[in-house]
Amino acid sequence: MAWGVAWTVTSALLVACAGPSGARGPEAPADVRKVILQPVLPGDDDAEAATYEVFTSSGTWDFRSAGSPSTVDVLVVAGGGGGGAGFGGGGGGAGGVVVYADVPVDGDLVVTVGRGGVGGARGAGGSNGGDSSFGDYRAIGGGGGGGHASSPNPGARGGSGGGGGRDAEAGPGGLGADGQGHFGGDQVDDAAGGGGGGKAEPGDDGAWVGEAGRYEAGDGGDGVRLDAIGWGQAVAAGAPSAVGGGGGGGASSPETRLSGAGGLGGGGSGGPEADATTPGDGADAVPNTGGGGGGAHGTDANQHRGGDGANGLVVVRY
């Protein structure tokens, strides 16, 4: 199929199926949005109509309702990792982002949407995000950011790795999965955490910035815009415009130290989103982007928590 053409929306449908929803909430019906897109120019032989189904929670893909296609294309985004707590928490790594083309199908398939990892509390690191899958086709959950409860405080490995938490001796970023994401950034000088890795690039290391005269935590690695990878039309069916951003690392006292920004694609910022020099909890990632949560910016190891990672999503195109 040729996807680089203009489209118009001809119909939209909201479908409910059984399955879990929400990062930490109760069981609820699956949220599945279905949109059928037609070429703007009916006589264009190089363009074909396409249907996009966007799953923002777990459920079942219905083969017959889809018209019994022989193959489908699938975008799978896993849940992002939670940010680390304390003062100088690492940013959570983004959930893995994978495109599977021409997947053979001959019946209904289970769709799993990974939940975002929980931000760390009382100095602990954030938890990893959950895996997402379409049948056997999977993306790996993002790694949690390192905390400040003990030493060493590495970021966890995942689809993209979590940023390292503040540590007097270590605090390296976690590794990412090949083809799904990148590694997280390292902490710096027991002063500021590393950013979580993103789909498009690694998280930044924490750093001493001489011209500013301060330590700055690492920014989260950028994810990808859906229109840049040939999936922009899924936005009309409820998908976010970008996915797979890493969470920004958190800084420590004094307040002049700067927390990191979240990466493109839903990554949460380190510390309060409105003021990167003010102590506070890491920001939560943007829902259903698979973004990582931001690391905590604090003056005490038990004072502030990391931000939660975002749930992922699964998009089916046929």
Side-chain angles (χ1 to χ4, degrees):
M1 290 184 179
W3 303 106
V5 296
W7 305 86
T8 56
V9 179
T10 59
S11 64
L13 174 66
L14 180 65
V15 182
C17 306
S21 175
R24 291 180 293 174
E27 297 296 313
D31 188 1
V32 186
R33 291 180 173 86
K34 181 176 180 179
V35 63
I36 302 171
L37 298 160
Q38 299 282 358
V40 172
L41 302 176
D44 188 348
D45 294 335
D46 294 328
E48 297 180 44
T51 298
Y52 289 78
E53 292 188 56
V54 177
F55 288 77
T56 53
S57 61
S58 299
T60 300
W61 179 73
D62 192 309
F63 177 68
R64 290 188 177 180
S65 293
S68 305
S70 58
T71 64
V72 297
D73 299 329
V74 188
L75 169 65
V76 186
V77 181
F87 49 129
V97 179
V98 191
V99 173
Y100 294 102
D102 297 324
V103 174
V105 290
D106 59 6
D108 295 353
L109 287 171
V110 174
V111 176
T112 300
V113 173
R115 298 184 181 219
V118 178
R122 301 189 62 82
S127 64
N128 282 21
D131 294 353
S132 292
S133 60
F134 178 77
D136 294 331
Y137 295 83
R138 184 171 67 119
I140 299 170
H148 191 251
S150 60
S151 181
N153 293 299
R157 68 187 305 164
S160 283
R166 178 186 172 191
D167 195 292
E169 299 180 2
L175 296 176
D178 288 347
Q180 300 201 18
H182 289 82
F183 55 84
D186 300 343
Q187 69 90 38
V188 59
D189 296 344
D190 197 23
K199 168 60 177 176
E201 62 182 6
D204 290 340
D205 296 338
W208 168 257
V209 181
E211 58 269 28
R214 66 186 178 195
Y215 283 100
E216 296 185 2
D219 291 342
D222 281 345
V224 291
R225 294 185 59 85
L226 294 194
D227 58 9
I229 60 172
W231 287 79
Q233 300 301 330
V235 176
S241 62
V243 297
S252 62
S253 59
E255 288 82 351
T256 53
R257 294 176 177 173
L258 188 71
S259 288
L264 169 75
S269 63
E273 190 168 6
D275 186 352
T277 63
T278 301
D281 296 345
D284 295 341
V286 177
N288 292 113
T289 61
H297 178 158
T299 56
D300 180 88
N302 297 324
Q303 185 178 17
H304 297 294
R305 66 182 300 277
D308 292 340
N311 289 8
L313 81 162
V314 174
V315 185
V316 186
R317 179 174 68 193
Y318 49 89

